Amino acid sequence: MAKYIVKRILMGILTAFVVATLTFFIMNLVPGGPFLAEKAVTPQAQAAMEAKYGLDKPLFQQYLTYMGGLLHGDLGVSLKKRGFTVADIIGNRFPVSARLGGIAVLVAVLIGVPLGSLSAFNRGKAADNIIIVFSTAGIAIPSFLTCTLLMYFLSVKMKLLPSLGLDTPASYIMPVIALSLYPASYITRLMRSSMLDVIGQDYMRTARAKGVPAYKAVFKHALRNAILPVVTYLGPLLAYLMTGSFIVEKIFTIPGLGQEFVSAIPSRDYPLIMGTTIFLACFIILMNVIVDIAYAFIDPRIKLK
Amino acid sequence: MEGKKNPLSLQLNVDEIQDAFEPATAEEKESLVVMRESVGFFKDGLRRFRKNKIAMASLTVVVIIIILAFIVPAFYPYDYEEQMKGSERLGVMEYSKSELERMEAGEKVFPHFLGTDQNGRDYTIRVLMGARVSMTVGIIASALILLIGSVYGAVAGYFGGRTDMVMMRIVDILYTIPDVLIIILLAQVLKFPLQNLAQVPGFSWITALGPNMVSMFLVFALLYWVGMARIVRGQIMVLKQNEYVTAAKALGATNGRIIRKHLITNCIGTLIVTTTLQIPSSIFTESFLSFLGLGVQAPMPSLGSLASNALNGLQTFPEKLFAPAFMIFVIILSFNLLGDGLRDAFDPKMKR
């Protein structure tokens, strides 16, 4: 067990390192630099700027300097937002994204698990068919469409909800729906098929035969086993919500990390791009590691190697 | 080694019983009744597939969309780039002044079913072209993924041992890399080098496809094959235990031949299903990138960029959003259902 955890964490660190290296070199492949776009910059001024941020040194030297800083937890300073370090920006923006994503995960699980079970227990009946239709449709709508359609109907047409920002609790409604529609549908489908599997198992019949009441059989025997695939899905789900948030944050103009990342790329704010990529990557990798380890605790049958 | 047979041997004396085997006479052959024609893998799958109403319906929808996206634009009276002066921002089924005058004069004017955009381009043809772009990206990307993923997975699964270990660790790392971050970066980064490369003789096809589309294919080819590789590897690991592989090896077949002729052909069902299900997810990613403005570039429309452009005029022209939105929805839904149907038909074990 301990060996597995150590191995898994080492793997995660290696992945983070690969991501950091990839991002660094990919980014520097682009012709042009962060200071070219600014008007009225004399060559001397530009050279001075580049010297100040160490951009005049050979690429590999820059790489070593950056990685050295990274090991000390130093993500550098933003080139475009003067006076802000990358760590400051991430610290300001990430809580917004995390809160939104966290609520969306919660909503997706709270909707998906009961609906999926309901559908499985009523297999072939009207309720099952309705749930299948909706969950199948739900995984065919990209999040940007959910966002725009919600915005059109709920705030432009009916003027029920605020369309921008995250100032009031009501303004959370649309972004959360937009973010959680796809995962909720996916979890519903996942839950339905695994629940159908479990219902057919011998131990369920045994439990009922020896007189375990139905609700107890469902909660103690069926649900516990059927929820396992959902747990494995939580890792990729978090990754999805991080990426879904790029769109959702852009459309609803939410000051989150996703929006910051998307806008940093065209402006070539190298340290900010690097910082956000590495941070988000580490976060996703960490979540995957936690989910993998948690899975082993939930399902004792799994022997970790 | 010719020699006398050991008298104590229990071996059959072949020479003696050889006469016992005679070719069957015509009558005897006739008496063999074929109860039912043997059903091969594909026939069996197709039969199951035809019975599945949802799958057949989604196949029909896919065919209709393919006709709409690839054949209809060739006959359509308007071109997707054609900017008509004076007919900017028309609503559904509206005509511009000059067109009304021409109609007064008795000329026939083809209606703008969905109106026109801010540059006076017919919106119906733009949505159809957008569907074509999205489908092309989805299909080519899936083909690339199929090619890379199946070869990689097959090699790793077949050779096993240390080769497998190293190859699968690489897959593990690629799998945990947050794909969209890298995609957004790459899509941005590859734009300029590809534009430069397009100037080099021999690479002019890049301009034809559009550098953004090429960079998108590269991104898919680099990152998305890992899922396919994992699935194929798992299948190959099981398949290579089969006797026919041992037999092929004993007959002196090379590794490449065994993989190509025996192993890949035997997991063809999985390959078809996984590829079909890959198409909608590639379209998903493409429309997402185009929506962010990192995908296919103007004047080439994509369903994602059409939806993104429609946001500005949402108040007055909601149908400009609904049309591409509906198109994306139908394409992804029908491919998903088609993939599910194929899985049920060709891969009953994978049925969930």
Side-chain angles (χ1 to χ4, degrees):
Chain A
M1 185 72 190
K3 205 177 156 193
Y4 173 80
I5 295 177
V6 170
K7 199 177 148 196
R8 201 68 194 70
I9 291 172
L10 283 181
M11 213 33 211
I13 294 172
L14 180 62
T15 314
F17 171 75
V18 170
V19 173
T21 311
L22 263 182
T23 325
F24 186 85
F25 285 107
I26 288 174
M27 213 172 47
N28 281 292
L29 280 176
V30 200
F35 304 116
L36 285 185
E38 281 167 40
K39 279 171 274 169
V41 179
T42 58
Q44 290 90 338
Q46 192 185 326
M49 290 287 263
E50 286 185 350
K52 185 184 168 198
Y53 292 107
L55 293 175
D56 54 342
K57 297 204 182 77
L59 193 56
F60 196 68
Q61 181 102 43
Q62 288 183 40
Y63 173 70
L64 288 183
T65 317
Y66 187 85
M67 290 309 250
L70 191 63
L71 284 181
H72 295 99
D74 177 16
L75 291 170
V77 287
S78 170
L79 298 182
K80 286 289 156 87
K81 302 193 166 183
R82 299 279 154 73
F84 283 98
T85 66
V86 174
D88 281 341
I89 297 176
I90 292 176
N92 282 334
R93 300 301 188 101
F94 182 64
V96 181
S97 298
R99 199 177 317 131
L100 197 60
I103 297 175
V105 172
L106 216 63
V107 169
V109 172
L110 288 182
I111 291 177
V113 170
L115 274 189
S117 319
L118 198 71
S119 170
F121 284 118
N122 294 301
R123 188 184 188 175
K125 290 185 198 154
D128 182 29
N129 289 332
I130 294 170
I131 292 173
I132 289 179
V133 168
F134 274 97
S135 60
T136 312
I139 58 166
I141 308 179
S143 62
F144 65 86
L145 288 185
T146 327
C147 286
T148 42
L149 294 176
L150 278 174
M151 193 142 138
Y152 177 70
F153 285 111
L154 292 182
S155 54
V156 177
K157 276 268 139 167
M158 294 191 249
K159 309 219 183 302
L160 281 178
L161 296 168
S163 62
L164 304 173
L166 267 187
D167 307 323
T168 56
S171 55
Y172 272 93
I173 296 176
M174 281 198 294
V176 167
I177 296 178
L179 273 178
S180 56
L181 180 71
Y182 181 91
S185 312
Y186 194 87
I187 291 177
T188 307
R189 284 163 62 95
L190 211 58
M191 195 64 202
R192 176 177 182 273
S193 61
S194 72
M195 193 54 118
L196 281 178
D197 254 14
V198 168
I199 291 175
Q201 295 289 327
D202 291 340
Y203 58 75
M204 284 301 286
R205 205 178 311 126
T206 312
R208 295 291 288 137
K210 72 174 188 184
V212 176
Y215 75 91
K216 215 170 169 185
V218 168
F219 283 100
K220 273 210 95 155
H221 298 262
L223 203 59
R224 272 182 132 183
N225 283 296
I227 210 159
L228 289 173
V230 177
V231 176
T232 23
Y233 175 62
L234 285 180
L237 171 62
L238 276 157
Y240 167 81
L241 286 180
M242 278 298 141
T243 59
S245 68
F246 292 153
I247 294 269
V248 175
E249 284 173 11
K250 187 186 172 203
I251 293 177
F252 293 111
T253 53
I254 294 164
L257 199 54
Q259 202 195 26
E260 194 67 47
F261 176 71
V262 175
S263 60
I265 291 180
S267 65
R268 303 276 165 73
D269 196 341
Y270 291 151
L272 189 57
I273 301 175
M274 283 292 287
T276 34
T277 311
I278 293 171
F279 178 78
L280 284 178
C282 288
F283 180 74
I284 293 169
I285 292 165
L286 182 71
M287 286 298 149
N288 274 323
V289 172
I290 291 176
V291 165
D292 277 2
I293 294 172
Y295 193 62
F297 279 107
I298 298 171
D299 190 355
R301 285 171 305 181
I302 291 180
K303 286 268 155 57
L304 297 175
K305 283 176 288 173
Chain B
M1 210 169 78
E2 287 288 312
K4 257 192 184 168
K5 195 176 166 243
N6 186 344
L8 292 177
S9 164
L10 290 175
Q11 291 269 11
L12 276 181
N13 199 338
V14 184
D15 298 334
E16 266 174 35
I17 59 163
Q18 210 166 36
D19 299 339
F21 292 104
E22 279 172 18
T25 60
E27 291 159 44
E28 278 169 327
K29 273 183 190 163
E30 252 171 52
S31 68
L32 174 75
V33 187
V34 179
M35 298 289 279
R36 196 197 286 172
E37 265 189 58
S38 68
V39 179
F41 172 74
F42 270 102
K43 247 186 172 171
D44 193 34
L46 273 183
R47 201 176 51 192
R48 253 174 297 179
F49 186 77
R50 282 212 198 93
K51 273 191 202 154
N52 188 340
K53 276 182 210 143
I54 298 176
M56 283 308 276
S58 57
L59 180 65
T60 320
V61 176
V62 167
V63 171
I64 292 174
I65 294 173
I66 288 177
I67 292 173
L68 277 179
F70 288 90
I71 299 174
V72 171
F75 301 106
Y76 208 75
Y78 300 110
D79 190 66
Y80 75 96
E81 283 179 299
E82 183 186 349
Q83 304 190 355
M84 285 164 280
K85 274 247 167 76
S87 44
E88 286 89 2
R89 292 197 182 77
L90 293 180
V92 174
M93 291 305 275
E94 279 178 4
Y95 295 95
S96 69
K97 261 189 194 155
S98 64
E99 280 169 345
L100 284 174
E101 280 164 18
R102 272 160 59 204
M103 279 165 83
E104 292 278 307
E107 222 179 310
K108 265 195 177 169
V109 174
F110 199 80
H112 304 288
F113 293 108
L114 291 167
T116 56
D117 68 1
Q118 73 276 12
N119 292 324
R121 295 175 290 200
D122 185 79
Y123 205 67
T124 319
I125 187 74
R126 287 189 71 73
V127 171
L128 292 184
M129 283 304 287
R132 178 193 283 194
V133 168
S134 296
M135 298 270 273
T136 314
V137 172
I139 291 169
I140 296 186
S142 305
L144 281 174
I145 290 165
L146 170 69
L147 192 73
I148 301 173
S150 59
V151 169
Y152 194 96
V155 169
Y158 180 73
F159 290 105
R162 202 170 293 161
T163 322
D164 180 44
M165 228 278 289
V166 173
M167 286 176 89
M168 287 333 273
R169 283 300 83 76
I170 296 174
V171 164
D172 283 346
I173 290 177
L174 280 177
Y175 204 74
T176 32
I177 285 179
D179 44 4
V180 174
L181 292 179
I182 300 291
I183 282 189
I184 293 177
L185 263 182
L186 273 182
Q188 185 75 18
V189 162
L190 288 172
K191 209 159 68 186
F192 299 104
L194 280 173
Q195 272 166 3
N196 292 339
L197 189 62
Q199 310 298 324
V200 179
F203 287 97
S204 49
W205 51 270
I206 292 178
T207 331
L209 275 173
N212 273 48
M213 234 206 246
V214 177
S215 74
M216 214 178 295
F217 292 147
L218 276 175
V219 165
F220 278 113
L222 281 175
L223 285 179
Y224 275 83
W225 51 270
V226 286
M228 179 73 88
R230 278 187 166 178
I231 293 170
V232 172
R233 171 181 171 266
Q235 290 258 312
I236 299 280
M237 299 259 276
V238 180
L239 286 174
K240 75 172 179 185
Q241 313 286 341
N242 281 327
E243 285 80 4
Y244 56 75
V245 177
T246 323
K249 256 186 205 161
L251 287 170
T254 57
N255 288 330
R257 190 186 155 81
I258 293 175
I259 291 178
R260 256 182 297 127
K261 286 270 169 189
H262 298 281
L263 296 177
I264 292 277
T265 36
N266 268 302
C267 50
I268 199 99
T270 323
L271 293 183
I272 293 174
V273 172
T274 323
T275 311
T276 316
L277 287 172
Q278 182 64 52
I279 293 175
S281 83
S282 303
I283 293 178
F284 220 98
T285 315
E286 182 274 330
S287 59
F288 164 83
L289 283 177
S290 298
F291 187 84
L292 278 179
L294 298 169
V296 181
Q297 268 194 342
M300 192 76 101
S302 142
L303 293 176
S305 60
L306 287 174
S308 159
N309 291 340
L311 278 184
N312 300 325
L314 195 57
Q315 293 269 15
T316 29
F317 298 114
E319 74 277 358
K320 298 277 190 297
L321 171 64
F322 297 157
F326 182 70
M327 204 68 177
I328 298 177
F329 173 68
V330 171
I331 291 177
I332 294 177
L333 183 68
S334 51
F335 270 109
N336 269 340
L337 291 175
L338 180 65
D340 283 350
L342 283 175
R343 183 179 54 208
D344 293 350
F346 286 101
D347 217 353
K349 271 174 288 175
M350 260 176 78
K351 196 169 177 177
R352 288 197 293 176

